């Protein structure tokens, strides 16, 4: 589905299919500037949203009120290597944080495969990597700093565990996060192995592959018989990164060649099955050892939109098979692979999609400019039937009433939301759909002013 061209001066996300025209857009350079701007917007009855790198695929950032960009509130502020703790500005890009930590001999214990996001955007939407013993990125948060609607600041720690558990994955619904204290680990290397494996064999051996590797993930193209499997394991071996020429060839295949295949599929949808099989045949085995952040993250330049579901790990294979059957049955033109990753149970964040259970994440995509609704609706129906929960930063079509039944700590999150933002300063149309109304009768905002509305 194509979006209309956004008006001049509008904000647009990375995928280019969500945009808004805020009343005011600011790039504050300090917490004090954030507090002043937020308090003023609240007193005027305007909503406040925060944007990072724009890597969310839905409209959760959009507002016609105040849009804050925290790029100037970034960087590594303090390092306590002995305690394994660092403090970092919320606007810091994950790629920059990885480099800064490496200079101190430190690393994040896990990462997703894209590192372009701001740390606040990644944490607040429940972004994850893969590894059955590791939770999503937000489980690494020890404390965080919030600017509330009245311009006051609040440091969330285990002194008030309910607030911290609500704030780790909050969709920006509680306040403006300006900084984090994160738990880190000594820098480590990974032995990275990638290659193709027959899809049937991958699914038959899935438990062995997940349990037998520190970080296992796989990618499967509809209409193709093989899966691309990635096995990353900690090692004490000396670092031996891929040769520069090999790295360039790999990036060209993953971006340039794949972009060409996607464009061909968009123009000639009937050729997508053959294109998928051809792309799979081009995948060559690789094996190297490098620092963790260089292994986890990949450069992605092909633009797309995405939906992702967290399902019980035990249901992963059946869900995948149902999705593949649905694609064939409905004759859908799907040129992107389905990505599959695994994480540990998480009860540190009330809105974690992995709350309380071992989880498999299944991500589906559609190339820019191609219709995605039928495919995504079909995947959503299957995921919901198996107890799925949507990734908060990706597209989904589920509303608050149904989501509430899927999160055991939903009411606990809503209690904190009502306590910290009773007037809904930090809400918008998207959050009203997925989180529902906010506010407790009789409460007021210290800064005064009317309850904000999206006009």
């Amino acid at each position: 589905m194509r979006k209309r061209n956004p008006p001049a001066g509008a904000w647009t996300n990375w995928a280019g299919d969500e945009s808004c025209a805020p009343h005011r857009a600011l790039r504050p350079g300090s917490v004090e500037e954030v507090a002043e701007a937020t308090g003023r917007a609240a007193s005027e009855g305007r909503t406040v949203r925060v944007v990072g790198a724009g890597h969310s695929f839905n409209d959760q950032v959009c507002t016609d009120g105040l849009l804050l960009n925290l790029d100037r509130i970034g960087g590594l502020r303090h390092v306590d290597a002995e305690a394994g703790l660092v403090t970092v500005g919320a606007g810091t890009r994950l790629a920059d944080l990885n480099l800064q930590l490496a200079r101190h001999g430190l690393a994040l214990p896990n990462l997703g495969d894209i590192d372009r996001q701001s740390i606040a955007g990644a944490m607040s939407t429940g972004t994850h990597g893969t590894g059955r013993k590791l939770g999503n990125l937000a489980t690494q948060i020890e404390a965080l700093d919030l600017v509330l609607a009245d311009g006051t600041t609040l440091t969330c720690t285990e002194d008030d565990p309910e607030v911290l558990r609500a704030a780790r994955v909050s969709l920006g619904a509680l306040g403006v996060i300006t900084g984090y204290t994160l738990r880190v680990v000594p820098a480590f290397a990974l032995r990275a192995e990638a290659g193709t494996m027959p899809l049937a064999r991958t699914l038959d051996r899935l438990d062995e592959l997940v349990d037998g590797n520190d970080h296992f993930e796989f990618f499967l193209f509809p209409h193709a018989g093989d899966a691309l499997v990635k096995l990353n394991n900690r090692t004490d071996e000396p670092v031996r990164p891929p040769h520069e020429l090999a790295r360039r060839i790999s990036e060209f295949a993953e971006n340039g060649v794949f972009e060409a295949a996607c464009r061909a599929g968009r123009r000639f949808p009937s050729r997508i099955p053959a294109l998928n099989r051809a792309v799979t045949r081009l995948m060559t085995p690789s094996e190297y050892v490098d620092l963790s952040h260089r292994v986890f993250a990949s450069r992605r330049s092909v633009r797309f939109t995405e939906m992702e579901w967290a399902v019980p790990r035990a249901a992963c294979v059946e869900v995948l098979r149902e999705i593949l059957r649905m694609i064939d049955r409905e004759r859908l033109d799907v040129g992107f692979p389905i990505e599959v990753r695994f994480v540990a149970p998480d009860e540190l964040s009330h809105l974690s999609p992995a709350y309380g259970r071992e989880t498999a994440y299944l991500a589906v995509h559609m190339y820019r400019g191609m219709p995605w609704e039928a495919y995504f609706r079909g995947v959503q129906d299957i995921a919901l039937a198996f107890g799925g929960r949507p990734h908060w930063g990706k597209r989904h079509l589920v509303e608050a009433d149904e989501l509430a039944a899927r999160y055991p700590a939903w009411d606990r999150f809503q209690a904190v939301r009502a306590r910290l933002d009773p007037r809904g300063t930090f809400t918008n149309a998207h959050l009203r759909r997925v989180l529902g109304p906010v506010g407790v009768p009789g409460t007021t905002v210290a800064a005064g002013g009317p309850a904000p509305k999206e006009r």
Side-chain angles (χ1 to χ4, degrees):
M1 183 177 71
R2 295 184 182 273
K3 288 273 184 177
R4 296 178 182 176
N5 291 330
W11 169 85
T12 303
N13 69 346
W14 175 85
D17 55 8
E18 293 291 349
S19 64
C20 68
H23 173 78
R24 192 179 187 195
L26 293 177
R27 293 166 59 94
S30 68
V31 176
E32 291 75 19
E33 290 179 23
V34 172
E36 191 278 331
T38 300
R40 186 194 321 161
S43 67
E44 294 172 352
R46 300 191 184 279
T47 55
V48 179
R49 298 298 294 159
V50 181
V51 61
H55 267 271
S56 286
F57 293 90
N58 54 44
D59 56 343
Q60 68 174 277
V61 164
C62 294
T63 183
D64 65 357
L66 173 63
L67 186 64
L68 294 175
N69 180 308
L70 301 188
D71 283 355
R72 295 172 61 204
I73 302 180
L76 193 59
R77 298 171 177 172
H78 180 72
V79 175
D80 186 341
E82 185 176 349
L85 296 172
V86 299
T87 58
V88 60
T92 311
R93 295 293 191 265
L94 282 169
D96 296 332
L97 177 59
N98 292 333
L99 295 176
Q100 293 167 25
L101 290 176
R103 295 188 191 109
H104 292 273
L106 299 169
L108 296 173
N110 205 6
L111 287 165
D113 77 336
I114 295 178
D115 60 5
R116 302 294 102 181
Q117 308 101 315
S118 72
I119 192 166
M123 299 290 182
S124 295
T125 56
T127 295
H128 59 92
T130 192
R132 73 173 187 88
K133 295 182 179 180
L134 296 164
N136 62 37
L137 270 61
T139 60
Q140 300 161 27
I141 298 170
E142 290 291 308
L144 61 86
D145 298 318
L146 272 176
V147 171
L148 304 179
D150 61 1
T152 61
T153 58
L154 173 68
T155 297
C156 307
T157 70
E158 283 294 345
D159 290 340
D160 191 339
E162 281 298 291
V163 169
L164 182 57
R165 282 160 173 72
R168 283 193 178 102
V169 178
S170 66
L171 288 69
L174 305 181
V176 180
I177 299 173
T178 58
Y180 290 95
T181 299
L182 302 177
R183 185 159 296 283
V184 294
V185 298
F188 60 98
L190 290 170
R191 184 177 67 256
E193 301 173 78
T196 57
M197 180 182 294
L199 177 58
R201 185 181 177 204
T202 303
L203 299 182
D204 288 344
R205 294 182 55 201
L206 190 58
D207 285 338
E208 172 193 344
L209 292 165
V210 174
D211 295 337
N213 293 279
D214 293 331
H215 309 272
F216 172 75
E217 60 188 308
F218 69 101
F219 304 72
L220 62 103
F221 281 86
H223 319 295
D226 290 333
L228 172 65
V229 298
K230 293 187 175 182
L231 304 86
N232 298 326
N233 290 284
R234 285 191 176 223
T235 181
D236 295 326
E237 298 173 49
V239 168
R240 44 181 177 85
H243 294 295
E244 181 64 15
L245 178 60
R247 184 189 66 79
R248 288 178 179 272
I249 292 173
S250 177
E251 284 195 355
F252 177 69
E254 291 181 0
N255 292 285
V257 173
F258 186 48
E259 175 88 37
C262 287
R263 288 182 177 181
R266 184 174 64 189
R267 186 172 183 183
F268 305 105
S270 65
R271 298 183 184 176
I272 284 177
L275 288 166
N276 286 0
R277 290 189 287 270
V279 169
T280 303
R281 285 194 295 271
L282 290 174
M283 297 174 183
T284 56
S286 65
E287 190 272 327
Y288 63 94
V289 176
D290 210 342
L291 293 178
S292 59
H293 67 272
R294 295 176 188 160
V295 173
F296 286 134
S298 303
R299 190 175 73 86
R300 303 285 188 222
S301 61
V302 181
R303 303 289 172 126
F304 55 85
T305 193
E306 182 176 357
M307 168 181 276
E308 186 170 19
W309 287 88
V311 302
R313 175 183 159 180
C316 178
V317 171
E318 195 170 355
V319 172
L320 278 172
R321 287 175 172 153
E322 286 288 335
I323 291 173
L324 293 175
R325 281 193 287 265
M326 181 269 297
I327 291 171
D328 288 339
R329 183 177 64 250
E330 302 298 328
R331 298 182 181 180
L332 298 175
D333 303 319
V334 181
F336 254 82
I338 301 170
E339 301 179 359
V340 187
R341 300 182 175 92
F342 304 87
V343 302
D346 174 16
E347 294 185 8
L348 295 176
S349 312
H350 290 336
L351 293 188
S352 171
Y355 191 95
R357 66 192 189 194
E358 283 196 70
T359 295
Y361 278 92
L362 282 65
V364 298
H365 316 71
M366 191 61 76
Y367 183 57
R368 60 180 175 176
M370 294 187 70
W372 51 264
E373 291 93 333
Y375 179 35
F376 285 12
R377 282 186 182 277
V379 170
Q380 174 171 293
D381 289 344
I382 293 167
L384 289 174
F386 286 88
R389 301 168 184 154
H391 186 305
W392 293 111
K394 312 295 173 69
R395 287 194 180 278
H396 68 89
L397 307 167
V398 189
E399 298 190 355
D401 287 347
E402 183 164 3
L403 288 167
R406 294 173 181 270
Y407 284 86
W410 182 270
D411 289 343
R412 293 163 67 184
F413 175 85
Q414 295 290 6
V416 174
R417 184 184 179 208
R419 170 179 157 194
L420 298 187
D421 186 29
R423 291 279 185 169
T425 294
F426 301 105
T427 195
N428 65 358
H430 177 82
L431 293 192
R432 283 193 289 273
R433 288 197 302 273
V434 303
L435 296 182
V438 65
V440 176
T443 59
T444 59
V445 174
K453 296 179 180 179
E454 290 283 305
R455 284 170 290 278

